[in-house]
Amino acid sequence: MELRHLRYFIAVAETGSLTEAAERRLHTSQPSLSRQIRDLEEQVGVELLSRSARGVELTPAGKAFIDHARLALAQVEAAVESARRAAQPAKQRFSVGFLTGQEMTWLPEVMRILRGELPNIDVIVSSDYSPDLAEELARGKLDLAFLRAEPDFNLAYQVVGREPLVVLMPSDHPLTSRVAILPQELVGEPFIAMANKARVLRAVIDDYLDRSGIHIKSVQSVDNPAVVMSLVASTRSVTLIPAYVENLMPWSVASRPLEGGAPTIDLVIGYRRANTSSILKLFLSKVDELIAGVAKRLS
């Protein structure tokens, strides 16, 4: 069994289509991809994928196999990354990722904590969706990330903040006249839901709406804050979103708090338990200092 077999299998499982996986993800021919999948199933000894007119789906055996396949690839990529770092020991690299928009709040304090080490390290900063940050951590591409506690990755998480959800709406929406908004007032409004990729946030929102006893039918699902704000303004919709997005709002949208006990979502720092970076160890020893520094700046 070769690594390409695992990559091909995961690509087909995630796209649900041999054609799409071959053309868009793997840049190979469909017959070649089909042969590789058959070779993998012969080596495993069971059928991993079922083919039908609707596309390709995982069999029960495939569902059991895919998590281990992902983990195997992640471990290989982490090993490659570790080897590359070891080959350039002169100056250590420390890579920090942020859920897009959170760097505005947390990066200054991160750099302050690392200030004494900066002559000896290169700090690499990036921003992305939370699931993508978790994947980068698992693969050894990032040392630390500010993200949601994504459940499908074998990572360590530590809560650094809890953000309330707020209502986002067009700046001239009638509800902007309210100081705070009841969840029942969202019923009947066009609603932008979080896409499945942002499932940690989506779960918090869905749970809140269920507990509030209301049902809202979404008109669209997205996972990018910038796209959310654009759609809210252009389609005159509303949505629920973490309060940090208020730092990114254009003039065309406005926010209001929820009345009563607004739901919150955790912001965590995540890292691989197997990461032996001395800089990571130093940083983790100063997390309380980091939280206090951000709280003081925001007060």
Side-chain angles (χ1 to χ4, degrees):
M1 186 181 302
E2 300 182 17
L3 292 177
R4 73 170 185 275
H5 289 126
L6 302 182
R7 292 192 181 96
Y8 287 3
F9 167 70
I10 291 170
V12 174
E14 290 179 345
T15 59
S17 166
L18 284 163
T19 302
E20 185 175 347
E23 294 179 356
R24 299 186 181 181
R25 290 277 294 270
L26 303 171
H27 307 292
T28 187
S29 67
Q30 182 177 331
S32 174
L33 176 57
S34 297
R35 284 195 301 272
Q36 298 293 335
I37 296 299
R38 284 197 300 271
D39 288 345
L40 175 62
E41 290 177 324
E42 287 177 4
Q43 292 180 54
V44 176
V46 295
E47 187 180 61
L48 301 173
L49 297 166
S50 61
R51 292 84 168 166
S52 69
R54 294 176 300 175
V56 179
E57 297 180 349
L58 288 170
T59 64
K63 292 177 181 178
F65 184 77
I66 193 168
D67 288 338
H68 295 283
R70 286 184 174 129
L71 180 60
L73 285 180
Q75 289 176 331
V76 169
E77 292 189 14
V80 171
E81 188 67 19
S82 296
R84 287 173 177 170
R85 290 188 184 190
Q88 299 175 337
K91 198 167 186 180
Q92 187 176 352
R93 188 184 75 178
F94 189 70
S95 299
V96 185
F98 292 90
L99 184 64
T100 300
Q102 291 287 2
E103 65 272 19
M104 299 174 65
T105 300
W106 295 91
L107 181 57
E109 285 301 310
V110 169
M111 297 305 290
R112 186 187 64 78
I113 285 176
L114 295 176
R115 185 178 300 148
E117 302 295 324
L118 291 179
N120 306 314
I121 63 173
D122 286 325
V123 179
I124 312 298
V125 177
S126 62
S127 65
D128 213 328
Y129 301 138
S130 182
D132 294 333
L133 292 171
E135 186 172 347
E136 293 287 283
L137 285 170
R139 292 181 174 180
K141 302 286 187 180
L142 291 174
D143 293 293
L144 181 83
F146 290 73
L147 72 167
R148 307 302 178 197
E150 301 293 339
D152 288 344
F153 299 88
N154 186 27
L155 300 172
Y157 295 117
Q158 185 171 345
V159 176
V160 294
R162 290 186 170 89
E163 308 166 78
L165 298 189
V166 297
V167 181
L168 200 66
M169 69 197 85
S171 56
D172 60 349
H173 195 283
L175 287 176
T176 57
S177 63
R178 300 291 305 276
V179 175
I181 296 172
L182 290 167
Q184 289 76 13
E185 293 178 283
L186 303 178
V187 176
E189 297 285 345
F191 190 80
I192 305 295
M194 295 299 112
N196 288 332
K197 189 169 186 177
R199 60 178 171 172
V200 176
L201 174 56
R202 179 166 182 155
V204 170
I205 294 173
D206 289 348
D207 177 68
Y208 171 69
L209 295 176
D210 286 343
R211 287 188 289 105
S212 300
I214 61 176
H215 175 72
I216 296 178
K217 186 176 181 180
S218 61
V219 296
Q220 196 161 352
S221 298
V222 294
D223 54 21
N224 182 309
V227 176
V228 170
M229 289 184 282
S230 176
L231 283 173
V232 164
S234 62
T235 64
R236 301 199 57 77
S237 302
V238 300
T239 193
L240 296 177
I241 203 160
Y244 85 93
V245 174
E246 293 174 322
N247 296 327
L248 310 173
M249 290 193 315
W251 64 268
S252 57
V253 297
S255 66
R256 293 293 184 272
L258 285 160
E259 190 169 315
T264 61
I265 185 167
D266 290 346
L267 180 72
V268 303
I269 54 172
Y271 55 93
R272 280 193 310 127
R273 294 180 177 87
N275 190 338
T276 59
S277 165
S278 60
I279 305 302
L280 176 62
K281 183 177 181 181
L282 167 69
F283 189 91
L284 294 177
S285 71
K286 298 188 176 184
V287 170
D288 289 343
E289 181 182 331
L290 170 81
I291 297 171
V294 168
K296 182 178 180 180
R297 232 168 20 91
L298 296 179
S299 61

PDB file of all heavy atoms in Angstrom, residues 89-109:
ATOM      1  N   PRO A  89      18.760  24.180  11.310  1.00  0.00           N
ATOM      2  CA  PRO A  89      18.705  24.451  12.747  1.00  0.00           C
ATOM      3  C   PRO A  89      19.199  25.836  13.151  1.00  0.00           C
ATOM      4  O   PRO A  89      19.095  26.201  14.300  1.00  0.00           O
ATOM      5  CB  PRO A  89      19.621  23.368  13.319  1.00  0.00           C
ATOM      6  CG  PRO A  89      20.635  23.151  12.228  1.00  0.00           C
ATOM      7  CD  PRO A  89      19.898  23.343  10.935  1.00  0.00           C
ATOM      8  N   ALA A  90      19.760  26.602  12.234  1.00  0.00           N
ATOM      9  CA  ALA A  90      20.373  27.872  12.614  1.00  0.00           C
ATOM     10  C   ALA A  90      19.369  28.827  13.240  1.00  0.00           C
ATOM     11  O   ALA A  90      19.654  29.489  14.227  1.00  0.00           O
ATOM     12  CB  ALA A  90      21.023  28.519  11.395  1.00  0.00           C
ATOM     13  N   LYS A  91      18.166  28.899  12.675  1.00  0.00           N
ATOM     14  CA  LYS A  91      17.149  29.803  13.194  1.00  0.00           C
ATOM     15  C   LYS A  91      15.819  29.077  13.216  1.00  0.00           C
ATOM     16  O   LYS A  91      15.311  28.673  12.177  1.00  0.00           O
ATOM     17  CB  LYS A  91      17.065  31.072  12.347  1.00  0.00           C
ATOM     18  CG  LYS A  91      16.351  32.225  13.046  1.00  0.00           C
ATOM     19  CD  LYS A  91      16.558  33.532  12.308  1.00  0.00           C
ATOM     20  CE  LYS A  91      15.968  34.683  13.114  1.00  0.00           C
ATOM     21  NZ  LYS A  91      16.131  35.992  12.437  1.00  0.00           N
ATOM     22  N   GLN A  92      15.257  28.916  14.387  1.00  0.00           N
ATOM     23  CA  GLN A  92      14.029  28.162  14.534  1.00  0.00           C
ATOM     24  C   GLN A  92      12.844  28.967  13.996  1.00  0.00           C
ATOM     25  O   GLN A  92      12.789  30.190  14.125  1.00  0.00           O
ATOM     26  CB  GLN A  92      13.794  27.826  16.004  1.00  0.00           C
ATOM     27  CG  GLN A  92      12.625  26.894  16.246  1.00  0.00           C
ATOM     28  CD  GLN A  92      12.493  26.515  17.715  1.00  0.00           C
ATOM     29  OE1 GLN A  92      13.360  26.830  18.522  1.00  0.00           O
ATOM     30  NE2 GLN A  92      11.413  25.837  18.054  1.00  0.00           N
ATOM     31  N   ARG A  93      11.898  28.249  13.415  1.00  0.00           N
ATOM     32  CA  ARG A  93      10.678  28.878  12.932  1.00  0.00           C
ATOM     33  C   ARG A  93       9.539  28.548  13.875  1.00  0.00           C
ATOM     34  O   ARG A  93       9.404  27.423  14.333  1.00  0.00           O
ATOM     35  CB  ARG A  93      10.339  28.374  11.527  1.00  0.00           C
ATOM     36  CG  ARG A  93       9.173  29.127  10.881  1.00  0.00           C
ATOM     37  CD  ARG A  93       8.831  28.524   9.546  1.00  0.00           C
ATOM     38  NE  ARG A  93       8.123  27.255   9.696  1.00  0.00           N
ATOM     39  CZ  ARG A  93       7.674  26.534   8.684  1.00  0.00           C
ATOM     40  NH1 ARG A  93       7.902  26.912   7.445  1.00  0.00           N
ATOM     41  NH2 ARG A  93       7.038  25.405   8.900  1.00  0.00           N
ATOM     42  N   PHE A  94       8.713  29.555  14.157  1.00  0.00           N
ATOM     43  CA  PHE A  94       7.528  29.353  14.991  1.00  0.00           C
ATOM     44  C   PHE A  94       6.336  29.881  14.213  1.00  0.00           C
ATOM     45  O   PHE A  94       6.230  31.069  13.932  1.00  0.00           O
ATOM     46  CB  PHE A  94       7.666  30.083  16.329  1.00  0.00           C
ATOM     47  CG  PHE A  94       6.588  29.737  17.321  1.00  0.00           C
ATOM     48  CD1 PHE A  94       6.544  28.485  17.906  1.00  0.00           C
ATOM     49  CD2 PHE A  94       5.614  30.668  17.672  1.00  0.00           C
ATOM     50  CE1 PHE A  94       5.553  28.153  18.828  1.00  0.00           C
ATOM     51  CE2 PHE A  94       4.623  30.346  18.585  1.00  0.00           C
ATOM     52  CZ  PHE A  94       4.590  29.092  19.170  1.00  0.00           C
ATOM     53  N   SER A  95       5.426  28.975  13.837  1.00  0.00           N
ATOM     54  CA  SER A  95       4.297  29.327  12.975  1.00  0.00           C
ATOM     55  C   SER A  95       3.017  29.422  13.786  1.00  0.00           C
ATOM     56  O   SER A  95       2.649  28.477  14.494  1.00  0.00           O
ATOM     57  CB  SER A  95       4.127  28.275  11.872  1.00  0.00           C
ATOM     58  OG  SER A  95       5.285  28.224  11.060  1.00  0.00           O
ATOM     59  N   VAL A  96       2.348  30.561  13.672  1.00  0.00           N
ATOM     60  CA  VAL A  96       1.125  30.816  14.422  1.00  0.00           C
ATOM     61  C   VAL A  96      -0.003  31.103  13.438  1.00  0.00           C
ATOM     62  O   VAL A  96       0.149  31.931  12.535  1.00  0.00           O
ATOM     63  CB  VAL A  96       1.278  32.012  15.384  1.00  0.00           C
ATOM     64  CG1 VAL A  96       0.018  32.172  16.238  1.00  0.00           C
ATOM     65  CG2 VAL A  96       2.504  31.849  16.261  1.00  0.00           C
ATOM     66  N   GLY A  97      -1.129  30.416  13.599  1.00  0.00           N
ATOM     67  CA  GLY A  97      -2.290  30.644  12.746  1.00  0.00           C
ATOM     68  C   GLY A  97      -3.430  31.263  13.534  1.00  0.00           C
ATOM     69  O   GLY A  97      -3.569  31.029  14.739  1.00  0.00           O
ATOM     70  N   PHE A  98      -4.247  32.043  12.846  1.00  0.00           N
ATOM     71  CA  PHE A  98      -5.388  32.703  13.490  1.00  0.00           C
ATOM     72  C   PHE A  98      -6.651  32.469  12.690  1.00  0.00           C
ATOM     73  O   PHE A  98      -6.627  32.527  11.448  1.00  0.00           O
ATOM     74  CB  PHE A  98      -5.158  34.222  13.573  1.00  0.00           C
ATOM     75  CG  PHE A  98      -4.053  34.633  14.500  1.00  0.00           C
ATOM     76  CD1 PHE A  98      -2.754  34.753  14.031  1.00  0.00           C
ATOM     77  CD2 PHE A  98      -4.306  34.898  15.839  1.00  0.00           C
ATOM     78  CE1 PHE A  98      -1.730  35.134  14.870  1.00  0.00           C
ATOM     79  CE2 PHE A  98      -3.279  35.282  16.687  1.00  0.00           C
ATOM     80  CZ  PHE A  98      -1.987  35.401  16.204  1.00  0.00           C
ATOM     81  N   LEU A  99      -7.737  32.206  13.379  1.00  0.00           N
ATOM     82  CA  LEU A  99      -9.050  32.283  12.765  1.00  0.00           C
ATOM     83  C   LEU A  99      -9.189  33.688  12.195  1.00  0.00           C
ATOM     84  O   LEU A  99      -8.966  34.673  12.902  1.00  0.00           O
ATOM     85  CB  LEU A  99     -10.121  32.011  13.819  1.00  0.00           C
ATOM     86  CG  LEU A  99     -11.570  31.961  13.371  1.00  0.00           C
ATOM     87  CD1 LEU A  99     -11.806  30.810  12.418  1.00  0.00           C
ATOM     88  CD2 LEU A  99     -12.471  31.839  14.591  1.00  0.00           C
ATOM     89  N   THR A 100      -9.515  33.798  10.916  1.00  0.00           N
ATOM     90  CA  THR A 100      -9.466  35.089  10.227  1.00  0.00           C
ATOM     91  C   THR A 100     -10.187  36.175  11.017  1.00  0.00           C
ATOM     92  O   THR A 100     -11.364  36.031  11.359  1.00  0.00           O
ATOM     93  CB  THR A 100     -10.092  34.963   8.829  1.00  0.00           C
ATOM     94  OG1 THR A 100      -9.352  33.992   8.078  1.00  0.00           O
ATOM     95  CG2 THR A 100     -10.057  36.289   8.093  1.00  0.00           C
ATOM     96  N   GLY A 101      -9.477  37.252  11.300  1.00  0.00           N
ATOM     97  CA  GLY A 101     -10.006  38.368  12.068  1.00  0.00           C
ATOM     98  C   GLY A 101      -9.510  38.393  13.497  1.00  0.00           C
ATOM     99  O   GLY A 101      -9.390  39.462  14.109  1.00  0.00           O
ATOM    100  N   GLN A 102      -9.188  37.230  14.071  1.00  0.00           N
ATOM    101  CA  GLN A 102      -8.747  37.175  15.461  1.00  0.00           C
ATOM    102  C   GLN A 102      -7.326  37.705  15.643  1.00  0.00           C
ATOM    103  O   GLN A 102      -6.941  38.083  16.751  1.00  0.00           O
ATOM    104  CB  GLN A 102      -8.822  35.727  15.980  1.00  0.00           C
ATOM    105  CG  GLN A 102     -10.225  35.188  16.142  1.00  0.00           C
ATOM    106  CD  GLN A 102     -10.963  35.786  17.326  1.00  0.00           C
ATOM    107  OE1 GLN A 102     -10.441  36.651  18.025  1.00  0.00           O
ATOM    108  NE2 GLN A 102     -12.175  35.328  17.563  1.00  0.00           N
ATOM    109  N   GLU A 103      -6.557  37.755  14.553  1.00  0.00           N
ATOM    110  CA  GLU A 103      -5.198  38.284  14.689  1.00  0.00           C
ATOM    111  C   GLU A 103      -5.196  39.736  15.129  1.00  0.00           C
ATOM    112  O   GLU A 103      -4.238  40.217  15.760  1.00  0.00           O
ATOM    113  CB  GLU A 103      -4.415  38.113  13.377  1.00  0.00           C
ATOM    114  CG  GLU A 103      -4.947  38.904  12.205  1.00  0.00           C
ATOM    115  CD  GLU A 103      -6.008  38.168  11.416  1.00  0.00           C
ATOM    116  OE1 GLU A 103      -6.602  37.202  11.942  1.00  0.00           O
ATOM    117  OE2 GLU A 103      -6.249  38.559  10.264  1.00  0.00           O
ATOM    118  N   MET A 104      -6.256  40.475  14.825  1.00  0.00           N
ATOM    119  CA  MET A 104      -6.346  41.877  15.219  1.00  0.00           C
ATOM    120  C   MET A 104      -6.340  42.017  16.732  1.00  0.00           C
ATOM    121  O   MET A 104      -5.808  42.983  17.282  1.00  0.00           O
ATOM    122  CB  MET A 104      -7.611  42.515  14.626  1.00  0.00           C
ATOM    123  CG  MET A 104      -7.643  42.485  13.109  1.00  0.00           C
ATOM    124  SD  MET A 104      -9.211  43.089  12.426  1.00  0.00           S
ATOM    125  CE  MET A 104      -9.159  44.795  12.942  1.00  0.00           C
ATOM    126  N   THR A 105      -6.935  41.053  17.417  1.00  0.00           N
ATOM    127  CA  THR A 105      -7.010  41.091  18.880  1.00  0.00           C
ATOM    128  C   THR A 105      -5.794  40.450  19.534  1.00  0.00           C
ATOM    129  O   THR A 105      -5.236  40.998  20.502  1.00  0.00           O
ATOM    130  CB  THR A 105      -8.291  40.370  19.358  1.00  0.00           C
ATOM    131  OG1 THR A 105      -9.431  41.031  18.813  1.00  0.00           O
ATOM    132  CG2 THR A 105      -8.372  40.348  20.878  1.00  0.00           C
ATOM    133  N   TRP A 106      -5.344  39.313  19.010  1.00  0.00           N
ATOM    134  CA  TRP A 106      -4.381  38.480  19.736  1.00  0.00           C
ATOM    135  C   TRP A 106      -2.941  38.616  19.280  1.00  0.00           C
ATOM    136  O   TRP A 106      -2.011  38.369  20.065  1.00  0.00           O
ATOM    137  CB  TRP A 106      -4.811  37.015  19.640  1.00  0.00           C
ATOM    138  CG  TRP A 106      -6.101  36.757  20.335  1.00  0.00           C
ATOM    139  CD1 TRP A 106      -7.355  36.819  19.793  1.00  0.00           C
ATOM    140  CD2 TRP A 106      -6.283  36.448  21.720  1.00  0.00           C
ATOM    141  NE1 TRP A 106      -8.300  36.549  20.745  1.00  0.00           N
ATOM    142  CE2 TRP A 106      -7.675  36.315  21.938  1.00  0.00           C
ATOM    143  CE3 TRP A 106      -5.410  36.257  22.789  1.00  0.00           C
ATOM    144  CZ2 TRP A 106      -8.207  36.011  23.194  1.00  0.00           C
ATOM    145  CZ3 TRP A 106      -5.936  35.939  24.037  1.00  0.00           C
ATOM    146  CH2 TRP A 106      -7.312  35.829  24.218  1.00  0.00           C
ATOM    147  N   LEU A 107      -2.700  38.992  18.025  1.00  0.00           N
ATOM    148  CA  LEU A 107      -1.322  39.023  17.533  1.00  0.00           C
ATOM    149  C   LEU A 107      -0.418  39.976  18.308  1.00  0.00           C
ATOM    150  O   LEU A 107       0.735  39.613  18.606  1.00  0.00           O
ATOM    151  CB  LEU A 107      -1.301  39.363  16.037  1.00  0.00           C
ATOM    152  CG  LEU A 107       0.088  39.412  15.394  1.00  0.00           C
ATOM    153  CD1 LEU A 107       0.835  38.097  15.571  1.00  0.00           C
ATOM    154  CD2 LEU A 107      -0.026  39.753  13.907  1.00  0.00           C
ATOM    155  N   PRO A 108      -0.856  41.195  18.667  1.00  0.00           N
ATOM    156  CA  PRO A 108       0.057  42.072  19.419  1.00  0.00           C
ATOM    157  C   PRO A 108       0.556  41.446  20.715  1.00  0.00           C
ATOM    158  O   PRO A 108       1.743  41.568  21.051  1.00  0.00           O
ATOM    159  CB  PRO A 108      -0.812  43.316  19.690  1.00  0.00           C
ATOM    160  CG  PRO A 108      -1.801  43.326  18.576  1.00  0.00           C
ATOM    161  CD  PRO A 108      -2.119  41.881  18.322  1.00  0.00           C
ATOM    162  N   GLU A 109      -0.334  40.757  21.445  1.00  0.00           N
ATOM    163  CA  GLU A 109       0.099  40.128  22.691  1.00  0.00           C
ATOM    164  C   GLU A 109       0.975  38.910  22.432  1.00  0.00           C
ATOM    165  O   GLU A 109       1.892  38.627  23.197  1.00  0.00           O
ATOM    166  CB  GLU A 109      -1.123  39.732  23.528  1.00  0.00           C
ATOM    167  CG  GLU A 109      -1.814  40.893  24.210  1.00  0.00           C
ATOM    168  CD  GLU A 109      -0.877  41.649  25.144  1.00  0.00           C
ATOM    169  OE1 GLU A 109      -0.201  41.014  25.983  1.00  0.00           O
ATOM    170  OE2 GLU A 109      -0.806  42.888  25.008  1.00  0.00           O
TER     171      GLU A 109
END
